[in-house]
Amino acid sequence: AGSRASVTQRRKRSLVLSDWWSDDLFVGEEDDPLGAAECKVRVVGLGRGSNHRGMMEILKNEAPRWNAVVAFAPTGWSWTKKMETDEGFDVNPWVENDGRTRTYSVPYSEHSSYTELREFVKFFKPKKITPTVNAATRKERDKLVNKHFLDLVDLKQDSSKLDYYFKNKVSAAPSKTPKENSNDVIVIESENEDEDAEVKVEAEVLSALNGDVETVRRQRELWKRFQMQNSTQKAPKGPEPLEPFPLECIAVVRSGEYTQFRSRAHVEQRLEELGATVMSRVTSNVTHIIVPGKGELANEANRLNALRQQDEYRDHPSALRVTEGWVMRHVRARANNVAPEHSEMQLKAFEEKKKLEKAARLAAAKRKREEKK
C-alpha cells in the first residue's frame, strides 16, 4: 500500500516486546496522531473496522480522500472446507455498498500453532482434552483428539480407553527419578542487585521455553528500551486554550466507559446545562460527537482532529469528535466563572445566521404550499 500501518498503544507494546517494531513500518496513534491520520493501513480490534458500517464512516468522515475501504479479518472461525483448493485457500470477500466496502475473512489465528499445542499437551500430560472448533459432536471431538493428541494424553484416566484398566499396575511401579520440587526458582544473575529481584522466573515458565533464559533476558531489555524511549520523547503539549462553548452545539454522546463522568446520561445532562442540544443518533445537523477519554473511540477522535489540521479537511462538514475531557473543561470553567465568552461580533454574526436560516425555512415552506395549490 506504500504506507506505514497505524497501531494502538497496546499493539505497539506487543510489537516492541516481540522485537518486531520498526518506525519504517508502524506509527503509534497516541504518539503521532497526524502521522496515523495519513496512514492508508490501520490495525484495529477484530470487528472494530471490518464491519461495513464502520468502513462507511471512514469514507464519510474522510471524504473525498478514499474511494473504497478493504478490511482483512484474520480469524480461524472463517475456515470452511469449501476454501480448500489445490493451490491453497480461496477467500471470497463480503461486498457491500456497491463495492465500496469489502471484507476478506482470512482463516488465520493469533493463538498457538499446531506444533505449540502439541508441546503444551506434552508438557502437562492432561487427563482429557475437549476440542471446541469443528467439534460439535462427541464423534468429531474424539476424532480430533485421536488424530492429533492421542499419544500425548494420559489415557490411564479415561475409562473409555483400555489403558484405564491397567492403571493400577502401572502406578505401582516405583519411580526411578525423584520428583523435582515444583517450587524451585531459576535466577538470572545481573550486575544490578535491584534487577535480581525482578528476574526470578519460575522453573515451569522456563521449562515451557525449553530453558531459554536468553529469551526472557531479551524481552526484559526490549521492554526497558521501550520505556526509555517513551521517557525521552518530547513532553506532550498541554491542552489548547479553551474557546467559548459553541453557540450552536448539537451533540451525540457515544456509549462507553466514561471516567470523568458517572455515565453517558451524566455527560448528556452536563451538555444540556452548557446550552447544547442532545440527540440520540447522528444526523446531518449534528455538530459534535462526544466519546470516552480513553480507548479506540478516543484514538479515532484524536486521529480525525489531527486530520482536520490539514487544509483540505479544515472546513469539513462532518461533526467534530471530542472526548469527555472537552466537556469537563467547559463544565469546570462555567462552575468557576472563568468560561471564555464570545465577542460581540461573533454574537451578531450568529444572530444574523439564524435569521437567514429562519427566512430560508419560511420561504421553503411557502413554496411547498404553493406547489400543493
Side-chain angles (χ1 to χ4, degrees), residues 6-47:
S6 67
V7 299
T8 62
Q9 195 69 6
R10 180 179 179 183
R11 180 67 66 180
K12 178 179 178 179
R13 179 179 176 181
S14 299
L15 291 169
V16 169
L17 290 175
S18 304
D19 201 16
W20 289 349
W21 178 265
S22 171
D23 292 331
D24 296 330
L25 298 177
F26 307 105
V27 55
E29 293 179 353
E30 296 183 15
D31 300 334
D32 186 4
L34 182 57
E38 296 173 347
C39 291
K40 297 180 182 179
V41 181
R42 300 168 192 170
V43 180
V44 299
L46 188 60

Side-chain angles (χ1 to χ4, degrees), residues 142-158:
D142 288 344
K143 181 179 178 181
L144 287 171
V145 173
N146 293 341
K147 181 178 180 181
H148 301 295
F149 303 104
L150 186 63
D151 58 319
L152 306 176
V153 179
D154 186 1
L155 300 177
K156 296 187 292 295
Q157 308 298 329
D158 188 350

Side-chain angles (χ1 to χ4, degrees), residues 189-323:
E189 294 184 355
S190 171
E191 296 178 357
N192 188 344
E193 293 182 358
D194 294 334
E195 292 181 358
D196 286 341
E198 300 178 0
V199 235
K200 293 182 179 180
V201 183
E202 293 184 3
E204 288 86 347
V205 177
L206 281 175
S207 178
L209 293 172
N210 293 324
D212 189 359
V213 178
E214 286 303 317
T215 296
V216 180
R217 195 193 306 275
R218 187 171 66 254
Q219 288 185 343
R220 289 180 61 249
E221 289 300 324
L222 286 170
W223 179 236
K224 284 185 178 180
R225 195 185 311 162
F226 174 68
Q227 290 178 316
M228 187 177 299
Q229 178 185 351
N230 284 353
S231 63
T232 56
Q233 286 178 349
K234 294 181 180 180
K237 295 181 180 180
E240 296 290 336
L242 187 65
E243 297 182 354
F245 192 77
L247 292 170
E248 185 177 31
C249 179
I250 305 174
V252 169
V253 182
R254 294 292 195 192
S255 299
E257 186 175 349
Y258 289 89
T259 57
Q260 300 184 41
F261 296 90
R262 292 191 299 272
S263 61
R264 173 185 176 183
H266 190 203
V267 181
E268 294 175 340
Q269 176 189 341
R270 293 303 190 193
L271 282 169
E272 290 175 346
E273 292 174 356
L274 290 169
T277 301
V278 178
M279 307 285 286
S280 59
R281 61 188 181 87
V282 178
T283 58
S284 59
N285 61 335
V286 168
T287 60
H288 292 75
I289 298 175
I290 318 300
V291 301
K294 295 181 179 180
E296 291 187 3
L297 289 177
N299 292 338
E300 180 74 0
N302 293 332
R303 188 184 62 79
L304 290 175
N305 288 338
L307 197 63
R308 280 181 178 272
Q309 303 304 315
Q310 301 180 12
D311 293 337
E312 59 180 315
Y313 289 98
R314 199 173 298 279
D315 299 322
H316 199 278
S318 63
L320 284 172
R321 281 168 167 73
V322 294
T323 64

Side-chain angles (χ1 to χ4, degrees), residues 155-212:
L155 300 177
K156 296 187 292 295
Q157 308 298 329
D158 188 350
S159 60
S160 65
K161 304 297 182 182
L162 188 62
D163 303 61
Y164 174 84
Y165 301 96
F166 294 93
K167 66 177 181 178
N168 291 332
K169 291 184 179 181
V170 176
S171 61
S175 176
K176 294 183 179 179
T177 57
K179 184 178 180 181
E180 296 182 0
N181 186 355
S182 61
N183 294 323
D184 286 347
V185 172
I186 296 177
V187 178
I188 306 172
E189 294 184 355
S190 171
E191 296 178 357
N192 188 344
E193 293 182 358
D194 294 334
E195 292 181 358
D196 286 341
E198 300 178 0
V199 235
K200 293 182 179 180
V201 183
E202 293 184 3
E204 288 86 347
V205 177
L206 281 175
S207 178
L209 293 172
N210 293 324
D212 189 359

